[in-house]
Amino acid sequence: MPDTEPSLPFPTMSPERAEDPVSWLQLIRSRRVGPATFFRLMGEYGSARAALEALPKIAHAAGAKGYRACPRADAERELHAGIAIGAKLLCHGSADYPQALAEITDAPPVLWALGNLDLLRRPCVALVGARNASSLGRRMAKKLAAELGEAGFVVASGLARGIDTEAHRTSLKTGTIAVFAGGIDVIYPQDNIELAGEIAQAGLILSEMPIGVTPQARHFPRRNRIVSGLSRGVVVVEGAAKSGSLITARDAADQGREVMAVPGHPMDHRASGCNMLIRDGATLVRSATDIAELLAQPLPARPVPGATRRSVPAERPPPGRLTYDLLNLLGPAPVHEDNLIRQLRLPANMVTEALSELDLTGHIERHPGGLVSRPI
């Protein structure tokens, strides 16, 4: 059964009143049933139960022999597993389902949610970008997330390393939503286990995938459409010309969302995607004021408080790790050594020693005022 665009309206009756959510889980977890097919079947048969009864016959007519829908026992196990970890199942059309996401053509029929559902009722902006983000890119993500939170926006992202991590961490207190590519109980990357726990307590985690599913490469583009679908606009802070961040930007454009990008140095490949988006018509972003003006929501006049700094670990990183991290943070645009020290959360002497070694080997360039960069 091809997963084509739905030709009939989405169901408007809440599944909590119309039928048990297990039937919805059964239908969407059945083989070859994606969001578009789900809504088409619901439109044709009026309920998930009726659609499930018709599925084998439909599949046989399409040439799929021996087709079986997802067993009810499997759907019940998933529902119980989600409830056991404190998650709630949101079905399309229910009161808690995010309204903005419900408007896109391939909205997830069901979402697992863990955390503060009130965040879904507030305006949302997505901040996405490179996993191997530069120091400047990370600082910009933190700045934008802090300003957006102060302005009343919820910040959405995908919990990836780099830009996503900085956006989530900075907006924890003001409101952040992390969308998982795998099951809501499967944290990826492992580096962000602690951060994910903090988001589950103070923010919100969402996933359309079954409980326990490990994310695969094909799941991330699906995750990206949810990040953009939740949001009034998507800001790409750093991103290569071929990256998941640009997939999210394309999803945003297709969904009628605002597409914004932070310009970067022409010689830094991590900025190539952002510069390309701006060339093609995306709004150039210098601060959250640009975002708020585009979305017609003014920022408050009061200054934004700085993000709370974590304690600096005393132990030395494994051999080669600090060198790798420094080179990863640096790009053609010079940054101050102090910013690198704050970013790495390491003692100053440890970072300056590593920078001296990189300077001796020609891997970095020093500039007046304590600035350093990668050679062009």
Side-chain angles (χ1 to χ4, degrees):
M1 288 175 290
D3 193 11
T4 56
E5 292 294 326
S7 57
L8 293 171
F10 290 167
T12 56
M13 184 177 293
S14 169
E16 286 90 336
R17 291 175 301 190
E19 55 183 325
D20 66 296
V22 175
S23 298
W24 280 51
L25 274 177
Q26 269 188 277
L27 185 56
I28 191 58
R29 302 305 186 220
S30 294
R31 187 163 52 96
R32 299 186 183 179
V33 176
T37 298
F38 178 96
F39 289 118
R40 178 173 59 82
L41 291 170
M42 290 289 288
E44 291 178 1
Y45 295 95
S47 72
R49 290 180 183 177
L52 284 164
E53 292 177 1
L55 261 181
K57 183 178 179 180
I58 298 171
H60 181 77
K65 297 180 180 179
Y67 181 90
R68 290 186 60 206
C70 171
R72 185 173 180 85
D74 289 357
E76 288 176 342
R77 275 193 293 272
E78 180 181 347
L79 185 63
H80 293 154
I83 294 172
I85 62 172
K88 182 176 181 180
L89 187 69
L90 310 182
C91 297
H92 190 287
S94 66
D96 288 328
Y97 193 95
Q99 182 178 352
L101 186 62
E103 296 170 356
I104 69 173
T105 57
D106 55 350
V110 298
L111 277 173
W112 279 109
L114 182 62
N116 182 7
L117 293 176
D118 290 339
L119 295 178
L120 296 174
R121 299 180 179 88
R122 290 170 50 192
C124 183
V125 172
L127 291 183
V128 298
R131 288 173 170 81
N132 64 330
S134 69
S135 176
L136 284 174
R138 291 170 185 265
R139 285 168 55 200
M140 188 62 173
K142 290 164 68 174
K143 177 178 182 291
L144 291 177
E147 293 174 349
L148 287 169
E150 187 72 7
F153 287 101
V154 173
V155 173
S157 201
L159 200 74
R161 297 182 181 93
I163 298 300
D164 291 20
T165 296
E166 300 295 349
H168 286 308
R169 185 177 287 128
T170 305
S171 58
L172 263 173
K173 292 183 179 179
T174 55
T176 193
I177 298 175
V179 184
F180 284 11
I184 202 168
D185 58 332
V186 181
I187 299 168
Y188 180 86
Q190 290 284 298
D191 300 356
N192 280 340
I193 287 180
E194 180 182 348
L195 177 58
E198 293 174 343
I199 295 173
Q201 292 296 319
L204 181 65
I205 298 173
L206 296 176
S207 175
E208 69 174 326
M209 301 302 292
I211 301 293
V213 168
T214 301
Q216 306 294 324
R218 66 182 184 276
H219 298 153
F220 289 93
R222 295 178 59 182
R223 183 273 310 273
N224 294 345
R225 89 187 193 286
I226 299 177
V227 173
S228 57
L230 288 167
S231 309
R232 293 171 60 180
V234 171
V235 183
V236 183
V237 179
E238 270 188 345
K242 294 181 179 179
S243 64
S245 301
L246 262 66
I247 293 175
T248 309
R250 285 195 295 270
D251 287 338
D254 292 341
Q255 294 164 352
R257 276 40 173 174
E258 297 289 351
V259 179
M260 297 160 274
V262 175
H265 196 290
M267 300 297 290
D268 192 340
H269 75 280
R270 288 171 290 200
S272 59
C274 293
N275 294 338
M276 185 172 64
L277 287 172
I278 294 169
R279 180 200 65 189
D280 295 340
T283 299
L284 186 150
V285 168
R286 300 160 298 175
S287 69
T289 301
D290 295 327
I291 302 170
E293 288 177 352
L294 183 64
L295 301 179
Q297 182 156 334
L299 286 170
R302 61 185 183 276
V304 179
T308 302
R309 291 178 58 184
R310 294 188 172 187
S311 58
V312 177
E315 65 272 11
R316 179 176 290 274
R321 179 69 194 188
L322 179 53
T323 298
Y324 173 85
D325 289 343
L326 278 170
L327 291 175
N328 201 37
L329 287 172
L330 288 169
V335 298
H336 203 281
E337 287 185 27
D338 289 346
N339 291 328
L340 296 173
I341 293 168
R342 285 194 292 269
Q343 191 72 52
L344 292 166
R345 301 186 180 91
L346 291 172
N349 64 326
M350 200 179 292
V351 177
T352 54
E353 179 184 335
L355 285 172
S356 297
E357 293 175 359
L358 289 171
D359 187 20
L360 289 172
T361 57
H363 286 92
I364 65 170
E365 285 186 2
R366 292 192 178 274
H367 305 270
L371 302 175
V372 293
S373 70
R374 294 283 291 274
I376 298 177

